[in-house]
Amino acid sequence: MIKTTGIATTTIEPFADADEAAASADADPAAARRQIIRTDRALTDPRLAAAVRRHGRPAVRQALRDAQQEARRGAISPDQVVRHTADLVDRRAEGVRSVINATGVLLHTNLGRAVLSAPARRALERAAGCIDIEYDLESGRRDRRGRAALEALAAAVPAAGAVHVVNNNAAALILASAALASGREVVISRGEMVEIGAGFRLTDLVAAAGARLVEVGTTNRTSLADYAAAVWSGTGFILKVHPSNYRIDGFTSQVDVGALAGLGAPVVVDIGSGLLGPEQVLPDEPDADTALRAGAALVTASGDKLLGGPQAGLLLGHREVIAELRRHPMARAVRVDKLTLAALEATVRCPPTPTQQALRTTVDELRARAETIVGRLTAADVPAAVTDTTAAIGGGGAPGVRLPSCAISVPQHLSRPLRRQPIAVVGRVRDGRLLLDMRSVPAELDEVVTAAVLRAATSPAGQSPDEPGRPTPMAVERR
Ligand SMILES: *Cc1c(COP(=O)(O)O)cnc(C)c1O
């Protein structure tokens, strides 16, 4: 089993948890075992013969072994083994599984962060073939790579003289450090030395690019004088990092971009979240346009956080600075692929994104959706109720922000069967109930959620409340 922070993935799970096996063991396990179809007989079933033609014998044998194992521990009944094997082998051939994020964390890193908009999905589909990524169809000549995406981004951030896109924000920072501060110093406040998750620290990243870090101020307070004392001709840039996954409250002070810009060294601002302009719902979240207007030479951000696009690192800034980044040899190593550029362009050109919609939806709209679903569940005798919750942004954005929300509350033991649906549904457990938070579920998926709960509730595991199920805690947010 692959275990990540907080959420247990469900895809490949050859062995049952010991407690589950114990809970569901038949009164006469040997009798149940005898009913499980044997491998040689199962392989003669036309459904599995067809699966062998599609995916090959080894894959089908492995899926069959896993299905037999599930029947042995009572997760499926013996007569479901063949059908389950056929489903498993098809599903595994497709690789990644679709998940509906009902955790109430809008940008969940474990679930792939932002949900792409319909135009971005269509762009991805087109980009799967050959596209004019680096080619001008008018002249028939080579063109700047990703020109259309870069132009869309530049148009969305009027204060940027030029823009560039790399693999992710970490790559943006390492490129900026290598190009602007290799062998020189990067000045940073001790209150902004961020660990972005899984043990990765931004300061290590800057150092790995050959820059020397100069820490100024204290954890809670840093003044303009602290920065001024550290800046000299050997300074590559001043780095201002948005504390996007923690908050420092109380006796605090930071220096804003405008004041830092007066110190003579370029100011690089890592805003993290990827807001291109101000967002009314999140008045305290920094945005690229405002930071550039305040005097930043360069802003870096992620594409798959609040921007709501694909994983990408955005670099927006002064024309000469961007030109220097583009020329650096490392730029080629962090070059972004055509799929990302296509999806990014559509994300920027065609708002609103699902992330923006999730942010802006009112709690009344969420409650109405939850009530409709609960009505259908209770009509089918599934014990469900509507309950108030609070949702969070997650994914390294707006750490203190709590969004009022609404959830469908169902019995906790449905967590596992729901994660095992063809389109998995992942919620969170609170007080012995599984909550499916509506704010992180796109409205067009309400039907799918309803069907998944109905199916999960009638599956063998869904009908045995003594099966403990694996709690799906609200993940400790990793960015
Ligand atoms: C999320 C985040 C990063 C890392 O961005 P990736 O796109 O995941 O590489 C860096 N800095 C800040 C402030 C962040 O919030």
Side-chain angles (χ1 to χ4, degrees):
M1 151 149 325
I2 305 160
K3 191 118 201 208
T4 56
T5 331
I7 287 196
T9 56
T10 52
T11 326
I12 304 162
E13 202 166 67
F15 300 110
D17 303 326
D19 52 351
E20 262 170 49
S24 56
D26 205 80
D28 183 0
R33 234 167 259 188
R34 276 195 298 277
Q35 291 172 14
I36 295 172
I37 192 165
R38 286 177 33 179
T39 304
D40 47 359
R41 260 201 55 221
L43 288 171
T44 63
D45 186 288
R47 286 168 291 180
L48 294 198
V52 167
R53 282 193 297 279
R54 279 198 303 277
H55 306 296
R57 186 169 291 268
V60 176
R61 275 181 170 278
Q62 181 61 50
L64 179 56
R65 266 198 296 278
D66 296 342
Q68 288 163 330
Q69 181 73 20
E70 291 196 24
R72 251 170 243 134
R73 66 181 169 84
I76 58 174
S77 61
D79 60 351
Q80 290 178 315
V81 167
V82 168
R83 210 200 63 197
H84 191 66
T85 302
D87 288 349
L88 255 186
V89 79
D90 282 343
R91 201 192 290 162
R92 286 178 185 173
E94 284 176 15
V96 291
R97 296 265 312 279
S98 288
V99 176
I100 293 177
N101 171 9
T103 61
V105 178
L106 303 194
L107 299 165
H108 207 301
T109 297
N110 298 164
L111 301 179
R113 288 191 186 158
V115 170
L116 296 185
S117 64
R121 287 163 190 250
R122 288 195 293 272
L124 274 179
E125 181 75 40
R126 267 197 308 280
C130 284
I131 54 169
D132 60 343
I133 188 71
E134 217 173 294
Y135 184 72
D136 179 14
L137 288 165
E138 281 305 315
S139 66
R141 296 226 175 87
R142 181 168 178 208
D143 194 9
R144 160 162 283 171
R145 185 179 174 80
R147 176 184 293 282
L150 297 174
E151 282 173 358
L153 197 54
V157 186
V163 303
H164 186 55
V165 179
V166 293
N167 268 326
N168 56 15
N169 192 10
L173 271 172
I174 206 163
L175 178 60
S177 304
L180 310 177
S182 177
R184 310 183 69 193
E185 292 181 354
V186 169
V187 180
I188 184 170
S189 159
R190 290 195 171 89
E192 298 177 3
M193 301 190 51
V194 179
E195 177 170 312
I196 56 174
F200 287 102
R201 297 181 172 168
L202 289 187
T203 44
D204 292 344
L205 224 131
V206 171
R212 209 172 72 76
L213 272 157
V214 177
E215 302 167 19
V216 299
T218 63
T219 307
N220 56 330
R221 289 176 72 86
T222 303
S223 68
L224 184 59
D226 293 324
Y227 282 101
V231 170
W232 62 298
S233 59
T235 303
F237 57 82
I238 299 170
L239 178 58
K240 182 124 182 86
V241 180
H242 176 51
S244 57
N245 57 355
Y246 64 102
R247 282 206 307 182
I248 300 180
D249 275 330
F251 182 53
T252 66
S253 71
Q254 301 96 33
V255 185
D256 59 31
V257 174
L260 293 178
L263 293 179
V267 180
V268 174
V269 184
D270 172 9
I271 61 167
S273 66
L275 285 182
L276 300 181
E279 163 66 61
Q280 318 126 285
V281 186
L282 303 170
D284 297 330
E285 196 62 17
D287 69 270
D289 206 55
T290 305
L292 289 167
R293 277 180 209 290
L298 179 69
V299 169
T300 78
S302 296
D304 55 354
K305 293 183 180 173
L306 288 169
L307 181 66
Q311 180 188 304
L314 315 182
L315 290 145
L316 311 106
H318 294 169
R319 189 172 289 279
E320 337 64 80
V321 173
I322 298 291
E324 218 170 320
L325 301 183
R326 281 220 180 95
R327 274 196 304 270
H328 193 275
M330 206 180 268
R332 184 62 170 78
V334 294
R335 183 173 94 167
V336 73
D337 76 328
K338 62 174 179 174
L339 300 174
T340 303
L341 286 166
L344 183 64
E345 180 186 352
T347 300
V348 174
R349 280 196 206 279
C350 312
T353 63
T355 304
Q356 281 166 337
Q357 283 169 330
L359 271 177
R360 295 172 187 173
T361 307
T362 66
V363 72
D364 290 340
E365 291 171 88
L366 298 174
R367 189 170 297 113
R369 287 169 50 199
E371 277 165 2
T372 305
I373 297 177
V374 163
R376 291 186 50 193
L377 295 177
T378 48
D381 286 335
V382 178
V386 177
T387 184
D388 288 339
T389 54
T390 33
I393 309 283
V401 173
R402 291 272 166 270
L403 302 162
S405 188
C406 207
I408 303 157
S409 154
V410 293
Q412 175 177 349
H413 71 269
L414 293 184
S415 335
R416 187 157 197 271
L418 271 172
R419 294 198 312 269
R420 297 170 68 93
Q421 294 301 309
I423 296 182
V425 179
V426 176
R428 70 177 190 273
V429 166
R430 188 181 76 187
D431 302 333
R433 300 283 290 181
L434 175 68
L435 302 186
L436 304 176
D437 198 305
M438 300 310 293
R439 194 174 281 279
S440 54
V441 177
E444 64 272 19
L445 294 178
D446 286 1
E447 269 303 309
V448 185
V449 171
T450 312
V453 178
L454 288 173
R455 238 192 339 240
T458 51
S459 71
Q463 284 175 324
S464 61
D466 42 302
E467 195 259 276
R470 180 188 298 283
T472 308
M474 177 101 143
V476 177
E477 206 20 53
R478 166 130 71 86
R479 313 178 316 132

